[in-house]
Amino acid sequence: MDYLVMIIGVLIVVVLMADVVYTAFVPSGAGLLTKWSTRAVWKVFYILSGKRGKARILIVCGATTLLVILSIWILLFWLGNFLIVAAYEGSVVDAITKEPVGLWDKAYFIGYNLSTMGNGDLMAATNAYRIYISAVSFSGLILITSAVTYFIPVIQADNHKRTISGYVNSLGDNPLSIISNAWNGKDLRNLEKPFQELNLLIIDLMQQHIDYPVVNNFHTTVSKKSVSVNLAIVDETIHIIQSSIPQEHTLSAHVVTSLKKAIAGYAGSLQQQYIKPSKEAPGIPMAGVLKNHGIPVKQSDQEAFYNRISLRRRLLLAYLEDEGWSWDDVWSELPLSDLEKTNF
């Protein structure tokens, strides 16, 4: 009996199963193996795309990540159990001759027992290994079931991202158009219901991001369908409303604050997992842009206001850049005459 090989095999199986259980069943993120492999796959695709969000190769990144995670789970489970069997020379024998088999046959034996009870040409030699191989078969089935249990909500979470993007697009193409579309000649109360609904959608998105971080590897090549771009659009809309429009012409402060907190919560979850704030914040939108659309503007210290929220804007900018987008995508579709009056 080679105890070192046995210990290594047991450690691999234990670490792997802990990763699977934590990833698939604990509502607080992914295990270390899954988290590392998820980020590694994204970095490879990000480099291959030339760091461009519009690169079509990024479309398959999400599906590829799921395949990589499943492959790692299966291969490590296979390897760990193979080492446990290989540690004892006489652990597996030929079913007819009863002679011990070699390492390749043991690898084959473990492989087909991962999802079935084998085909009978090889068999475990001792009672302990017979019981162990039965456990391997059941564990393999649990492993595959866990993968399906995890992957289905991931796909649903990706659809939820698209729902948020579609909702924001229906309000406007950029912060200015959202405000101008909602302006009723007196105030922005037309935004109250949409903001309340977006608040709930973003809270759900934050929890899904925490539970299934792999969902961030699902990418769209259209900036207006990207949740990172659309969250930045909504956030900038809130900032313009708070910093530039008189309170009597805006909407409920509670609605605005709630939505702002929801976005801050999501940005905070990004920072906890993998996003580091950009070194510099985006430029400050100028209040003169609003006047061109007949919307009253108040006098305020814009620089002081935006300095206070610099961290969240740097986080959202880093999120955009990590997905291959830029701050210009937040303000796309803006008429040139307005673009020239906007400092970013």
Side-chain angles (χ1 to χ4, degrees):
M1 175 75 75
D2 191 328
Y3 289 103
L4 177 60
V5 173
M6 173 71 75
I7 291 173
I8 293 175
V10 170
L11 286 176
I12 290 175
V13 172
V14 170
V15 170
L16 172 67
M17 294 309 294
D19 186 82
V20 172
V21 170
Y22 191 86
T23 299
F25 300 107
V26 178
S28 58
L32 288 178
L33 287 175
T34 301
K35 185 181 295 184
W36 290 340
S37 59
T38 297
R39 286 303 294 169
V41 171
W42 173 254
K43 287 180 180 179
V44 169
F45 273 85
Y46 187 57
I47 293 172
L48 292 175
S49 71
K51 301 181 180 181
R52 295 179 300 109
K54 295 181 179 180
R56 294 190 62 81
I57 191 174
L58 293 176
I59 294 176
V60 299
C61 182
T64 301
T65 304
L66 294 182
L67 290 175
V68 168
I69 291 172
L70 180 60
S71 298
I72 289 175
W73 285 358
I74 292 176
L75 289 175
L76 286 180
F77 189 66
W78 193 346
L79 174 62
N81 285 293
F82 163 70
L83 292 177
I84 292 172
V85 170
Y88 176 50
E89 184 177 357
S91 59
V92 181
V93 298
D94 186 284
I96 298 177
T97 66
K98 308 302 180 184
E99 292 293 325
V101 299
L103 293 178
W104 284 109
D105 286 324
K106 289 178 180 178
Y108 160 70
F109 177 68
I110 288 296
Y112 70 59
N113 273 285
L114 290 180
S115 59
T116 69
M117 289 300 291
N119 58 19
D121 58 340
L122 301 177
M123 60 181 290
T126 67
N127 288 333
Y129 270 107
R130 291 190 189 100
I131 294 174
Y132 169 71
I133 293 302
S134 297
V136 168
S137 296
F138 285 116
S139 299
L141 182 60
I142 292 173
L143 178 66
I144 295 174
T145 303
S146 299
V148 174
T149 301
Y150 180 70
F151 292 167
I152 291 177
V154 168
I155 295 173
Q156 292 174 337
D158 180 51
N159 290 333
H160 186 69
K161 288 168 56 178
R162 298 175 188 274
T163 298
I164 292 176
S165 296
Y167 200 121
V168 176
N169 290 167
S170 71
L171 299 178
D173 294 318
N174 51 65
L176 174 60
S177 64
I178 290 178
I179 293 174
S180 60
N181 290 341
W183 180 251
N184 60 13
K186 296 185 300 182
D187 53 45
L188 295 172
R189 296 194 181 277
N190 287 336
L191 284 176
E192 287 195 356
K193 184 176 180 181
F195 274 15
Q196 288 173 334
E197 293 176 350
L198 272 174
N199 179 40
L200 297 177
L201 290 172
I202 293 172
I203 290 174
D204 287 342
L205 176 66
M206 177 181 66
Q207 190 58 52
Q208 289 173 342
H209 174 265
I210 294 172
D211 294 346
Y212 312 107
V214 67
V215 74
N216 288 298
N217 283 22
F218 284 79
H219 186 85
T220 176
T221 58
V222 180
S223 63
K224 288 307 176 186
K225 294 182 179 179
S226 170
V227 73
S228 60
V229 172
N230 283 286
L231 284 180
I233 289 174
V234 174
D235 206 49
E236 284 295 273
T237 302
I238 292 173
H239 299 154
I240 293 173
I241 291 174
Q242 289 186 318
S243 67
S244 302
I245 302 179
Q247 180 61 45
E248 63 271 20
H249 296 293
T250 59
L251 61 156
S252 168
H254 173 71
V255 172
V256 173
T257 302
S258 296
L259 181 55
K260 191 172 182 177
K261 287 182 178 179
I263 297 175
Y266 182 74
S269 70
L270 293 173
Q271 186 177 17
Q272 290 175 1
Q273 296 197 25
Y274 63 93
I275 296 293
K276 294 182 179 180
S278 296
K279 293 182 179 180
E280 295 183 2
I284 300 173
M286 305 303 289
V289 174
L290 299 172
K291 294 180 180 179
N292 297 338
H293 294 264
I295 300 174
V297 175
K298 67 181 179 181
Q299 295 295 323
S300 64
D301 189 342
Q302 296 282 309
E303 186 173 352
F305 176 86
Y306 281 94
N307 282 339
R308 289 195 298 271
I309 57 173
S310 174
L311 176 59
R312 67 185 288 140
R313 297 180 81 228
R314 288 189 290 120
L315 270 173
L316 290 175
L317 175 58
Y319 184 27
L320 287 174
E321 293 174 340
D322 186 72
E323 293 204 335
W325 306 115
S326 71
W327 204 252
D328 289 341
D329 293 297
V330 174
W331 290 92
S332 64
E333 307 299 328
L334 191 66
L336 182 60
S337 59
D338 288 331
L339 190 62
E340 293 172 342
K341 299 182 179 65
T342 307
N343 178 28
F344 54 79

